[in-house]
Amino acid sequence: MSETTNAAANDSPALPTIASDVLWKVGTGSYHEPHAVLGAHPINDAAGKVTAWAIRALRPLAKAVSAELPGGTLTLEHLEHGVWQGLVPAAAITGAPDYRIVATYVGHEGDATWRADDAYRHLPTLGELDLHLIGEGRHEELWMALGSHLHSASGPLGESYGVRFAVWAPNAQAVRVVGDFNHWNGIAHSMRVMGSTGVWEVFIPGIGAGTRYKYEILTKGGNWITKIDPLARFAEVPPATASIVVDSNHKWQDAAWLDARAKRDALKSPMSIYELHVGSWRKDLSYRELADELIPYVTELGFTHVEFMPISEHPYAPSWGYQVTGYYAPTSRFGTPDDFKYLVDRLHQAGIGVILDWVPAHFPKDEWALSRFDGQPLYEHADPRRGEHPDWGTYIFDFGRTEVRNFLVANALYWLEEYHVDGLRVDAVASMLYLDYSREGDNWLPNQYGGRENLDAIAFMQEANATAYRRNPGVMMIAEESTSWGGVSAPTDGGGLGFGFKWNMGWMNDTLRYIEKDPMYRKHHHGELTFSMLYAYDEKFILPISHDEVVHGKGSLLSKMPGDRWQQLANVRAYLTYMWSHPGKQLLFMGSEFGQQSEWNQEHGLEWWILDQPTHQGLKSLVGTLNKLYVENPAMWQRDHEREGFTWIDGGYADANLLSFLRWDDAGNPIAVVINFAGHPHHDHVLGLPFAGKWDELLNTDAESFGGSGVGNFGQISADGPASHGQPHSARVSVPPLGAVWFRPAK
């Protein structure tokens, strides 16, 4: 094709007329369907045959514009408001035209010409199935459809590379993409709405990974607002807020871990969790640097899993990540998404599982994020009695809206599948369960039956849990739930919430109240130690000593203990041993393993210097020994959730601050546990045992290597005494002050 113009032939069909008000909207980037005007459009004769193609481009302020086609160049004429148009006969090209727009502008130093692919010549990048699933709220891989993704399209002029954008904004009049590629002026990059789904889409050629962007949204009220991408997979380092296009190149090397995980029964496996805050475990470490330092440390201590406090993007660091703005983006404070994948991958290769804190209960009111996303309540419930949290100053998700529920369910799957994490600890479950949570008087809205249960949130949690387990065998969904709600860890098909585990907040609160008492008064509070066994099998429990117990004036675990420093450390050793001995998995917050003195402060990090003191090294050594013995002895974990896995020897010896019990494995092998919370030893204590013969002293927290006084049983006891405590045999044992001992039948 040679050089042509709009009047290429006398018999060329007339170009269709476009209303001036439509051209104005297109020219100002405020039209809901810009692709209906811009791009290449067929012109048919009376028989329906395509006789020509109208090509239109938006180039405001251009001096001249032309379309470069495979066979020549088509000069475009200016219509109105920066819209340029030309006509190319169908006979001059094959099929829909592939072209590039060449625009000339008047510059300070002469004319400047720019050649670029046209966003509006491209077909939609979202298929009908994607749109159907989004509309139904059943798109389980929502992150693959919405957000920003590298994309390419081929044609006679070669491959076109760029980024496709898609965002859900059903109340918007228009949406456009702004970024560093268009000087944050989105007039030339408005999006098209995809039918009735409320999804907006555009493919922008010529940009790639690293592009910073946001969405400009024209609200029903006629105001333009600028928002981040709710499904952005990367963001600027706070306090900057732009979303960033990202391309992942990480090559996973944890196939063996994932294969083993899929076959693993978490309920009947050992699990001791080390909870940490990425930004303050050691200050100023990146994800990759953290891998180098954290893995040998956790390996030395023998924890089976690490749990990261929320790493989803959040603007305010002192929120510890619980005020999330970027649900699909690991925080950029410590590196890129691939850097976080590297950390998870390295942990898996080292045999360490990864759990993430997940916060679907609420989100902050930052005006550039999810709040009033398209000018109206969208992700949040419109009624403040359900949509605003009185304690946290945040919005509450509208769990009853299918698209919002889909956003959250897919987000859980995103972390499990894209980042290979092994479990999600779901924050603030109680706040989702109850419509009157933290609300006084009539400041809450009952459900359809007049009750206080949030039926929409319950259905959401059931769906999230059931979907996560269906798609990812071996993962764990863990509830932080502090009330007596029944069936948190019961299957959804029986009406339960479907979590795999629940934090045992009752055990935590009771035992911490007990251990803070001076030993001389503990006998009056002995029931606080033993009460948990009345409900230990009601749920699948994890025993947590989490970050919440060592902040906000609560002091560190060490500082809760009475007495001088030796007694404090001995109390911690005895308490942690009780925790590791008790039915249920366990979680310990960073710093507690070596006796941090001060309560945790995310600005300062941990007091690593205290490990220069041998007594604190001794506590750390005990935690490592606890984990080693715990993993090696199935009696301590195999029947955590079966009543037959636990037998009291003597749970009622309050006057002595003493308790003793047996743990059993599937093969009938026991471990006897004796814990003394008194400040003095008990010698010649009669301990009922199920088997006669020698029993090895497997663990003694008063060992000198742990910083103790050395009271013990010289490594072994003999169960040659008469029946006692309902057991057929007994032994006389020494139980150290503020100490615990484990015994196992000698082999």
Side-chain angles (χ1 to χ4, degrees):
M1 180 181 118
S2 59
E3 175 99 11
T4 63
T5 67
N6 287 336
N10 292 331
D11 58 350
S12 295
L15 285 162
T17 300
I18 303 172
S20 182
D21 65 323
V22 172
L23 290 174
W24 179 83
K25 287 183 178 180
V26 172
T28 56
S30 56
Y31 194 50
H32 70 285
E33 200 174 3
H35 294 73
V37 175
L38 303 175
H41 298 271
I43 298 176
N44 302 324
D45 61 15
K49 180 182 178 181
V50 177
T51 60
W53 289 84
I55 296 178
R56 302 187 195 94
L58 179 62
R59 291 296 186 272
L61 305 179
K63 175 183 177 181
V65 179
S66 61
E68 179 187 297
L69 293 120
T73 301
L74 174 68
T75 300
L76 306 185
E77 294 183 352
H78 185 244
L79 297 177
E80 297 179 52
H81 307 294
V83 178
W84 298 72
Q85 176 177 259
L87 187 70
V88 56
I93 57 174
T94 301
D98 185 12
Y99 61 90
R100 303 294 182 268
I101 297 297
V102 179
T104 301
Y105 300 86
V106 176
H108 295 297
E109 300 179 0
D111 292 352
T113 299
W114 297 89
R115 177 183 182 275
D117 193 2
D118 185 15
Y120 299 99
R121 75 174 183 87
H122 293 277
L123 295 172
T125 57
L126 284 176
E128 288 299 320
L129 179 59
D130 283 321
L131 295 173
H132 172 75
L133 292 173
I134 291 170
E136 291 289 314
R138 291 291 184 269
H139 203 308
E140 294 178 357
E141 296 179 353
L142 188 66
W143 66 92
M144 301 294 289
L146 302 183
S148 60
H149 298 269
L150 298 182
H151 186 71
S152 64
S154 58
L157 291 179
E159 199 79 7
S160 182
Y161 297 94
V163 178
R164 63 177 178 89
F165 297 89
V167 64
W168 178 59
N171 299 307
Q173 293 193 70
V175 182
R176 54 199 190 193
V177 186
V178 296
D180 48 17
F181 60 94
N182 60 16
H183 306 290
W184 299 94
N185 184 332
I187 286 177
H189 294 106
S190 56
M191 308 175 79
R192 62 178 148 203
V193 67
M194 304 297 292
S196 61
T197 61
V199 173
W200 300 75
E201 181 269 354
V202 71
F203 168 59
I204 302 179
I207 62 176
T211 299
R212 299 181 305 139
Y213 71 98
K214 289 186 177 182
Y215 295 117
E216 285 184 325
I217 298 173
L218 181 60
T219 69
K220 285 185 176 179
N223 300 313
W224 285 101
I225 57 177
T226 304
K227 294 286 188 174
I228 61 169
D229 186 346
L231 278 95
R233 292 170 293 150
F234 194 35
E236 288 186 289
V237 177
T241 58
S243 302
I244 299 177
V245 178
V246 68
D247 182 26
S248 177
N249 296 300
H250 180 76
K251 305 299 182 185
W252 288 95
Q253 300 179 55
D254 63 347
W257 170 270
L258 296 182
D259 182 64
R261 186 187 74 184
K263 302 170 184 174
R264 176 176 177 264
D265 182 354
L267 295 176
K268 294 182 72 68
S269 300
M271 184 164 64
S272 61
I273 305 165
Y274 185 65
E275 185 195 22
L276 70 147
H277 179 259
V278 171
S280 61
W281 183 73
R282 287 190 187 273
K283 297 290 287 182
D284 303 320
L285 294 182
S286 68
Y287 292 128
R288 290 179 181 266
E289 292 168 337
L290 183 63
D292 291 336
E293 297 203 24
L294 179 64
I295 290 171
Y297 185 77
V298 172
T299 300
E300 176 192 2
L301 285 173
F303 285 96
T304 65
H305 292 71
V306 295
E307 180 175 315
F308 295 117
M309 292 170 67
I311 55 90
S312 299
E313 194 58 85
H314 51 283
Y316 184 55
S319 79
W320 310 330
Y322 292 96
Q323 301 265 355
V324 179
T325 49
Y327 274 83
Y328 286 78
T331 180
S332 56
R333 291 171 174 86
F334 314 114
T336 67
D338 271 5
D339 292 336
F340 184 65
K341 289 179 180 179
Y342 172 86
L343 171 59
V344 176
D345 204 351
R346 284 278 308 278
L347 284 161
H348 282 173
Q349 292 173 57
I352 301 166
V354 179
I355 300 168
L356 292 186
D357 259 12
W358 186 48
V359 192
H362 62 116
F363 60 93
K365 295 182 176 180
D366 299 82
E367 62 180 10
W368 45 267
L370 293 183
S371 66
R372 306 299 195 256
F373 184 75
D374 55 8
Q376 298 184 40
L378 186 64
Y379 287 93
E380 65 272 47
H381 199 287
D383 192 317
R385 291 173 294 177
R386 286 196 184 177
E388 296 190 33
H389 200 290
D391 288 348
W392 303 324
T394 52
Y395 285 128
I396 298 171
F397 282 104
D398 185 354
F399 299 109
R401 184 160 189 167
T402 56
E403 299 93 339
V404 174
R405 191 170 65 245
N406 192 174
F407 172 83
L408 292 171
V409 172
N411 185 237
L413 300 176
Y414 174 74
W415 292 109
L416 295 170
E417 297 176 14
E418 290 291 314
Y419 286 89
H420 291 199
V421 303
D422 304 291
L424 298 175
R425 174 266 195 187
V426 184
D427 181 62
V429 168
S431 74
M432 292 188 278
L433 287 174
Y434 300 100
L435 293 167
D436 61 348
Y437 184 89
S438 286
R439 298 179 187 275
E440 298 180 356
D442 297 328
N443 191 30
W444 61 282
L445 194 64
N447 63 33
Q448 65 202 67
Y449 305 110
R452 59 196 286 256
E453 300 82 11
N454 190 333
L455 302 179
D456 293 332
I458 292 167
F460 151 66
M461 284 185 276
Q462 290 174 325
E463 180 181 347
N465 290 329
T467 308
Y469 282 113
R470 170 173 55 81
R471 289 177 59 109
N472 301 279
V475 299
M476 298 175 290
M477 298 294 287
I478 303 166
E480 187 237 357
E481 203 283 312
S482 54
T483 73
S484 57
W485 183 282
V488 172
S489 58
T492 56
D493 57 11
L497 295 183
F499 286 95
F501 292 95
K502 171 183 172 174
W503 275 19
N504 194 335
M505 312 292 277
W507 174 90
M508 176 199 71
N509 290 323
D510 288 347
T511 59
L512 286 179
R513 276 197 304 269
Y514 174 88
I515 203 69
E516 290 174 356
K517 303 287 192 302
D518 187 284
M520 67 183 298
Y521 302 117
R522 284 176 177 169
K523 65 180 181 180
H524 304 296
H525 302 273
H526 194 75
E528 292 173 359
L529 275 182
T530 59
F531 180 68
S532 59
M533 287 311 302
L534 295 179
Y535 60 86
Y537 304 103
D538 292 352
E539 301 279 0
K540 310 301 189 296
F541 281 122
I542 291 174
L543 313 179
I545 298 298
S546 72
H547 64 278
D548 280 328
E549 307 317 309
V550 295
V551 290
H552 300 321
K554 295 181 181 179
S556 67
L557 182 61
L558 179 74
S559 68
K560 297 178 192 295
M561 305 299 166
D564 59 25
R565 179 50 51 88
W566 187 94
Q567 292 169 324
Q568 286 182 312
L569 286 165
N571 268 300
V572 172
R573 293 195 301 269
Y575 180 76
L576 292 181
T577 303
Y578 179 45
M579 178 179 176
W580 257 251
S581 308
H582 191 285
K585 316 307 180 184
Q586 53 274 328
L587 174 143
L588 187 66
F589 184 62
M590 65 180 194
S592 300
E593 77 276 12
F594 59 74
Q596 164 125 343
Q597 297 180 114
S598 305
E599 69 176 25
W600 171 57
N601 184 323
Q602 63 100 20
E603 294 293 335
H604 300 152
L606 299 183
E607 298 170 342
W608 293 104
W609 57 267
I610 207 169
L611 283 170
D612 292 339
Q613 300 181 21
T615 52
H616 288 266
Q617 277 284 0
L619 174 57
K620 176 172 170 277
S621 177
L622 170 73
V623 172
T625 300
L626 276 173
N627 276 323
K628 178 178 182 294
L629 295 174
Y630 167 77
V631 170
E632 290 175 351
N633 290 274
M636 304 308 286
W637 45 263
Q638 200 169 54
R639 306 181 76 178
D640 269 330
H641 310 291
E642 303 172 26
R643 295 183 184 276
E644 296 76 16
F646 178 93
T647 305
W648 280 116
I649 298 174
D650 188 351
Y653 200 175
D655 286 345
N657 295 345
L658 202 67
L659 70 164
S660 54
F661 51 86
L662 296 163
R663 297 295 307 277
W664 300 88
D665 67 14
D666 284 342
N669 299 307
I671 288 181
V673 177
V674 189
I675 305 176
N676 177 23
F677 287 109
H680 55 82
H682 295 289
H683 295 293
D684 287 326
H685 173 69
V686 176
L687 180 69
L689 292 169
F691 304 129
K694 302 295 185 182
W695 288 62
D696 292 332
E697 188 178 62
L698 190 62
L699 173 74
N700 185 332
T701 66
D702 198 47
E704 293 180 1
S705 59
F706 300 144
S709 62
V711 174
N713 298 275
F714 304 103
Q716 199 170 67
I717 60 174
S718 181
D720 53 8
S724 182
H725 300 98
Q727 299 296 327
H729 309 281
S730 65
R732 291 189 174 273
V733 302
S734 291
V735 190
L738 301 173
V741 284
W742 289 357
F743 299 106
R744 180 180 65 186
K747 296 181 179 179

